[in-house]
């Protein structure tokens, strides 16, 4: 079902937990659908110095969170914003079709955290509708 | 690593004694039972012996037992067969909202074919109130189908009462006894059952074989048209070794029912107690007493079931969940939702179903493993974080 | 006494190599393939491997192969599934008059359900003229179902031609390849086949498992509603060992097809020659060349088939007949009648179907036994008495 | 399927063949249906001195013919006329339901032979319709 990479990141997730000195937090997903991702970031000089996550969700949700945090750690905000769900999937050697939405959620969680930071420093952001938009369950969510 | 199988409701391991009984029919007695020469007659004889055994297990005549390929086929045959045969009499059929998909999806299909379906909700404890079924009966009701025991939460339904309501109203009554057969004594006569589905792999028999009990006089359309097998009601060359295996497994299950049930219940209860002692914020699903002795079903709040199952698998424990992710559907199990649980809680369910091969020695390991995994996932969970913060 | 099995068209003995391959999946890898833990995933992996094998045998994608419980289920699913899905498009379906009952009786059932059926007669040699099918096509024709090879007289139908007629007319084409699979190379793409039924026990695989090929894009209703197995198209816990067995048996059949066919044909031809030399007043049924290499079908005038089969059984020979008595119906085989044979002659038919385990050494014994039995029954027959007297 | 008695009478039928000095012959059944029974009798002083049969038909047809001839051999015509298909079946330890018609055919074949004899000596007989009346296939016979 899952690739070895996914299983590795699920069973041994990187960057898990709350970040004490976070200055950016983003949360996407919906408990009703069974997926919530929360990303914590410590951003300095436009660079993501540290990042962590908490996730309520399936194996793929946890693995994509873990991988997404790895991929943006140490990156500039701009680079992080250009992270796509495809990149997350590729880094995990693929996901089963029904789990693709987890990678979308991870992409959106990263964006949500960065937007949260931008707003906190007074920058304007074009806010997307996150909650469950990307989730394969969205027809079922109110 | 030690493997601990706690998913006996999904399937069971074929009993070695059953396999031994099947082997000659896989190897030597391969003759087509419809043939009139010696090796064909030997197959035929073996099948009829198997039919006698099954009939005696349910207190019916051998001519009322029809072998099928699985519980799903039996369910589909019963429901579609009743509907097709009685379509001029009426088009209203009744079931419960905790049926297995083999019944529920067949009902939904019949709805698409122009039948009217009524899905009666169970009570909060996962048990149906027979009076609520009675209330739904109409002049054109042709079928009531209610499962004997639920596959997720193990609740046992008041089958005899529902049966007598159906009989009184002259409506055909089908029960999906796939989870009950081999674990609960079933007397189809006393319980007023007209049609009953079973599946061998749920009671240590082989996969790919089941049966449908059809009470004498109950007319239903065939699902498999073709040759004259099964007294012209279910065509296809018989799965001889499978049929032998089903009968042997059922016989052994009944012979050892009390012993096995005691054994299993002790372990089940110990694991349940352990979980309740060690893990906070849990919900026990389904009536605690009117349920299969082998079944536990908990929701662990703030976590999701697939992750739970996978992490238990790392510890050698095979279990299941009603989370959307494991069911392959968008929603968590309809059974858990039928109990009134909100989606987010239903996602965090764990079903443990014990079996003959379960051991008291494993209880501590099972409880500890679950406690560890639940704790680990909660530590990762933003829902738990929020909850803890709110608690102050 | 030596046993000589000459009824391979009825069923075949499970290959020991196939059984060996199946055993781990009967014993150890019993996990439910829908489960996400390790032993469930192992079952799933094995099934998908089996699907790959079957797909490669017929030159299709693995996602086009669906495992079922038998040839009968595959036939019923294909026909009922097409009818139900296309009922708004049309209600006319076409088949031949020598189909197996799994197809013919399903057609008759669909007729009762309001579909119009056309049963195209074969020629005197048991082969259908594709043009006669083409002539029957109407605007509302939704299905053509013609068997690949006949189970009684072994005739091979012009499947590729019929397939291309169907494709040209945008009609779904199903073929019952239960007798052909494992003996004739089949390329579903080249032959324009949309749906194809097979059954494992006809090619030295286990009983109780079959498959349906469904070409990508062909939509049909399900026959088994329920769980999400087989990519939601065929519910039920998978018969894992059966599926493994089907794939292995099919693979071995294809690998050894030329060798086996040569071997079988030699024996078949020798027996045929022997019978023709030794026994007068006989009719050879079905085209002599466009037929399965393993099949002989004769009518012996003045005698009845059941008696013939029973007496051959006394001599250790297992064979079959299309007599009314052996078919369990009132009439002799519809296939023999389709060839234009009168009832009294059709009653005296003998089908011998050879297999891998047949031996050249047995040819004389087979021929002599048949000659003796036919003679003995003729000596008892008032029809023969009359005939001889009339001959003067 | 068949009792041992049936198998015995099928595999080793008694009184099979044409009777050279027969003075009574009866034939019932229909080739189309797959059963024809022909009974030969040598009747003297109202007693069936000898009897034989020829049968085109299944195992049960041959066995019932054999048994029926055994049961009437040496009997008076009156006794033979009272032979029922039930008696034939019982003597064979039963028949499968689909084969009961064979025993009826045997009863009728005996009667047909005796009637043939009676007519030959100028006695009046109430002739039944034999051909296929008792045969389970009769719906199919023209
Ligand atoms: C209650 C119930 N009904 C029906 C089924 C279907 O049985 P099978 O998978 O053998 O077709 C199952 C198990 O899968 C079940 O638990
Ligand atoms: C041509 C043909 N179709 C269908 C079937 C049915 O297959 P099964 O008996 O495996 O259901 C058979 C054999 O019985 C057959 O020979």
């Amino acid at each position: 079902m899952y690739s070895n990479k996914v299983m590795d990141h699920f069973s041994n997730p990187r960057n898990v937990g709350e970040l004490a000195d976070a200055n950016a937090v983003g949360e996407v997903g919906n408990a009703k659908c069974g997926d919530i991702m929360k990303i914590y970031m410590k951003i300095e000089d436009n660079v993501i110095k540290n990042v962590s996550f908490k996730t309520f969700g399936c194996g793929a949700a946890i693995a994509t969170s873990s991988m997404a945090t790895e991929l943006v750690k140490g990156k500039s905000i701009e680079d992080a914003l250009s992270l796509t769900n495809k990149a997350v999937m590729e880094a995990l050697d693929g996901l089963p079709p029904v789990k693709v939405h987890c990678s979308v959620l991870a992409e959106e969680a990263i964006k949500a955290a960065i937007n949260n930071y931008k707003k906190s420093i007074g920058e304007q952001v074009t806010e997307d509708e996150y909650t469950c938009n990307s989730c394969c369950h969205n027809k079922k969510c109110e | 690593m030690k493997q601990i199988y706690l998913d006996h409701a999904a399937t069971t391991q074929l009993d070695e004694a059953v396999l031994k009984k099947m082997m000659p029919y896989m190897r030597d007695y391969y003759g087509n039972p419809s043939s009139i020469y010696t090796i064909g007659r030997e197959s035929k004889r073996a099948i009829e012996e198997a039919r006698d055994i099954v009939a005696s297990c349910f207190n019916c005549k051998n001519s009322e037992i029809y072998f099928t390929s699985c519980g799903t086929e039996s369910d589909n045959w019963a429901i579609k067969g009743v509907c097709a045969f009685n379509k001029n009499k009426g088009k209203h059929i009744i079931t419960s909202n905790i049926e297995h998909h083999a019944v529920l999806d067949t009902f939904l299909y019949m709805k698409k074919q122009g039948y009217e379906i009524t899905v009666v909700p169970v009570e909060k404890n996962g048990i149906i109130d027979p009076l609520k079924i009675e209330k739904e009966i109409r002049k054109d009701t042709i079928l009531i189908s209610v499962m004997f025991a639920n596959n997720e939460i193990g609740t046992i339904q008041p089958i005899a009462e529902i049966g007598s309501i159906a009989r009184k109203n002259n409506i055909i009554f089908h029960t999906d006894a796939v989870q009950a057969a081999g674990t609960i004594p079933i007397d189809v006569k006393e319980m007023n059952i007209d049609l009953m589905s079973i599946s061998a792999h749920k009671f240590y028999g082989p996969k790919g074989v089941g049966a449908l009990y059809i009470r004498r006089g109950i007319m239903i359309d065939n699902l498999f048209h073709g040759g004259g097998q099964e007294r012209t009601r279910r065509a296809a060359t018989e799965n001889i070794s499978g049929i032998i295996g089903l009968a042997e497994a059922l016989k052994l299950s009944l012979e050892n029912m009390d012993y096995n049930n005691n054994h299993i219940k002790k372990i089940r209860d110990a694991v349940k107690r352990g979980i309740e002692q060690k893990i906070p914020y849990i919900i026990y699903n389904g009536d605690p007493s009117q349920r299969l002795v082998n079944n536990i079903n908990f929701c662990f709040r703030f976590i999701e079931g697939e992750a739970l199952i996978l992490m238990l698998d790392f510890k050698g424990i095979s279990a299941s969940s009603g989370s959307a992710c494991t069911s392959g559907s968008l929603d968590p199990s309809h059974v858990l939702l039928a109990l009134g649980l909100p989606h987010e809680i239903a996602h965090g369910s764990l079903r443990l179903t014990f079996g003959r091969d379960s051991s008291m020695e494993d209880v501590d390991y099972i409880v500890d493993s679950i406690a560890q995994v639940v704790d680990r996932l909660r530590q990762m969970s933003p829902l738990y974080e929020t909850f803890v913060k709110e608690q102050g």
Side-chain angles (χ1 to χ4, degrees), chain A, chain B:
Chain A
M1 169 170 79
Y2 288 134
S3 70
N4 290 338
K5 271 268 178 64
V6 172
M7 288 311 273
D8 175 31
H9 275 263
F10 164 65
S11 58
N12 186 23
R14 329 295 199 255
N15 313 313
V16 72
E18 215 176 327
L19 209 62
D21 59 346
N23 56 1
V25 180
E27 185 176 310
V28 297
N30 181 323
K32 197 175 175 199
C33 299
D35 302 295
I36 293 184
M37 284 186 199
K38 191 168 180 180
I39 300 273
Y40 304 82
M41 288 180 178
K42 172 69 182 169
I43 301 176
E44 274 177 30
D45 302 333
N46 234 27
V47 169
I48 300 168
K49 292 283 178 191
N50 206 352
V51 56
S52 72
F53 79 92
K54 282 206 169 180
T55 289
F56 161 76
C58 63
I62 291 171
T64 51
S65 310
S66 168
M67 180 53 86
T69 56
E70 282 288 277
L71 290 174
V72 301
K73 200 192 255 179
K75 293 273 158 65
S76 71
I77 286 180
E78 288 68 36
D79 284 355
L81 279 174
S82 68
L83 178 76
T84 62
N85 77 305
K86 248 187 97 190
V88 176
M89 283 212 288
E90 273 166 17
L92 286 168
D93 294 342
L95 282 175
V98 294
K99 300 295 189 181
V100 172
H101 75 279
C102 293
S103 67
V104 178
L105 222 52
E107 175 194 324
E108 292 183 346
I110 297 289
K111 296 209 164 107
I114 293 174
N115 282 346
N116 171 263
Y117 171 76
K118 284 187 173 175
K119 277 199 280 188
S120 75
I121 61 167
E123 271 186 44
Q124 275 224 318
V125 293
T126 44
E127 199 109 34
D128 296 334
E129 280 290 319
Y130 295 117
T131 319
C132 236
N133 260 358
S134 58
C135 156
C136 68
H137 309 170
N138 55 5
K139 275 173 297 185
K140 301 279 171 172
C141 293
E142 295 117 346
Chain B
M1 186 177 42
K2 183 162 184 176
Q3 293 297 314
I4 303 177
Y5 185 71
L6 298 180
D7 204 12
H8 290 81
T11 196
T12 54
Q13 186 168 23
L14 181 58
D15 187 327
E16 274 294 321
V18 172
L19 179 57
K20 208 174 144 201
K21 194 97 185 183
M22 292 167 65
M23 286 310 284
Y25 297 95
M26 302 205 75
R27 277 210 166 99
D28 307 319
Y29 302 110
Y30 61 93
N32 192 320
S34 302
S35 313
I36 59 174
Y37 42 73
T38 311
I39 70 155
R41 293 204 304 267
E42 168 58 30
S43 302
K44 180 82 176 168
R45 195 198 51 69
I47 289 175
E48 294 315 315
E49 253 177 52
R51 205 186 305 280
D52 289 343
I53 292 171
V54 176
S56 74
C57 289
F58 298 129
N59 188 30
C60 66
K61 294 192 205 68
N62 60 3
S63 58
E64 297 175 315
I65 297 296
Y66 297 84
F67 293 111
T68 66
S69 70
C70 56
T72 299
E73 182 189 334
S74 297
D75 286 342
N76 275 262
W77 182 15
I79 297 164
K80 294 174 183 171
V82 168
C83 286
F85 190 85
N86 294 288
K87 61 175 180 286
N88 294 326
K89 197 181 147 201
K91 288 196 146 190
H92 178 237
I93 57 181
I94 299 174
T95 191
S96 86
N97 68 345
I98 58 161
E99 296 299 311
H100 189 270
H101 281 288
V103 168
L104 218 49
D105 287 17
T106 306
F107 263 71
L108 294 175
Y109 182 68
M110 294 326 295
K111 189 176 173 184
K112 265 180 60 183
Q113 306 306 309
Y115 292 79
E116 276 180 79
I117 73 172
T118 298
V119 180
V120 177
V122 295
E123 306 303 300
K124 281 226 172 306
N125 64 351
I127 293 179
I128 203 153
D129 177 355
L131 295 179
K132 290 202 177 159
I133 291 181
E134 192 161 27
K135 264 198 222 147
E136 299 293 344
I137 291 175
R138 314 186 322 202
K139 273 226 174 88
D140 60 342
T141 306
I142 54 174
L143 173 70
I144 296 170
S145 179
V146 175
M147 73 198 316
F148 207 119
N150 182 269
N151 46 303
E152 290 190 49
I153 55 174
T155 48
I156 299 168
Q157 306 302 323
I159 290 307
E161 286 94 310
I162 301 170
S164 80
I165 290 170
R167 191 66 56 88
K168 212 172 55 194
N169 287 279
N170 210 13
I171 295 165
I172 295 175
F173 175 47
H174 167 251
T175 187
D176 172 346
V178 168
Q179 290 290 335
T183 301
I184 304 176
I186 301 179
D187 180 323
V188 289
K189 280 229 183 66
E190 218 166 68
M191 294 173 170
N192 294 309
I193 296 167
D194 294 318
L195 299 162
M196 183 172 80
S197 308
I198 66 169
S199 187
H201 72 95
K202 304 287 187 181
F203 45 83
Y204 308 92
K207 293 179 172 62
V209 60
L212 182 65
Y213 156 77
I214 308 181
R215 190 164 70 86
R216 206 191 142 127
I218 298 291
M219 307 285 279
I220 66 176
D221 273 24
N222 288 354
L223 188 66
F224 285 19
H225 290 86
Q229 292 91 350
E230 299 293 294
R231 293 185 303 296
T232 74
R233 295 181 86 159
R234 199 271 188 185
T237 305
E238 295 87 340
N239 176 359
I240 310 166
S241 65
I243 289 170
I244 303 302
L246 179 146
E248 183 69 9
L250 187 64
K251 192 183 83 177
L252 292 177
S253 293
L254 262 66
E255 280 172 10
N256 306 309
M257 193 182 276
D258 288 347
Y259 176 84
N260 286 332
N261 283 356
N262 277 334
H263 167 76
I264 291 168
K265 188 170 185 306
K266 262 188 224 140
I267 300 168
R268 192 268 312 260
D269 289 346
V271 171
K272 175 168 182 277
R273 261 194 316 274
I275 290 175
E276 285 172 339
Q277 279 162 12
K278 290 218 164 171
I279 311 179
Y281 316 125
I282 65 181
I283 294 150
Y284 190 56
N285 298 313
D287 194 90
S289 60
Q290 201 170 322
R291 81 193 285 143
L292 294 172
V293 294
N294 77 349
N295 175 290
I296 289 178
N297 193 304
F298 277 111
C299 283
F300 299 102
R301 291 181 58 193
F302 318 121
I303 66 172
E304 190 278 337
E306 191 211 76
L308 177 58
I309 300 304
L310 288 173
M311 286 201 174
L312 287 175
D313 188 36
F314 296 155
K315 292 178 182 291
I317 296 174
S318 301
S320 93
S321 168
S323 109
C325 288
T326 61
S327 72
S329 79
L330 302 179
D331 283 314
S333 144
H334 65 283
V335 176
L336 300 175
L337 298 180
L339 303 181
L341 293 173
H343 279 62
E344 53 269 37
I345 289 180
H347 282 301
S349 76
L350 175 70
R351 176 185 74 177
L352 304 179
T353 44
F354 300 83
R356 294 182 199 169
D357 48 306
S358 299
S359 160
M360 205 65 183
E361 278 172 30
D362 294 330
V363 168
D364 288 346
Y365 180 77
I366 295 167
V367 172
D368 290 347
S369 298
I370 295 169
Q372 282 163 24
V373 168
V374 169
D375 187 56
R376 182 153 183 228
L377 287 170
R378 282 182 178 166
Q379 294 307 324
M380 276 192 218
S381 168
L383 293 178
Y384 188 62
E385 183 187 307
T386 309
F387 173 80
V388 171
K389 282 177 183 161
E390 277 169 2
Q391 298 280 301

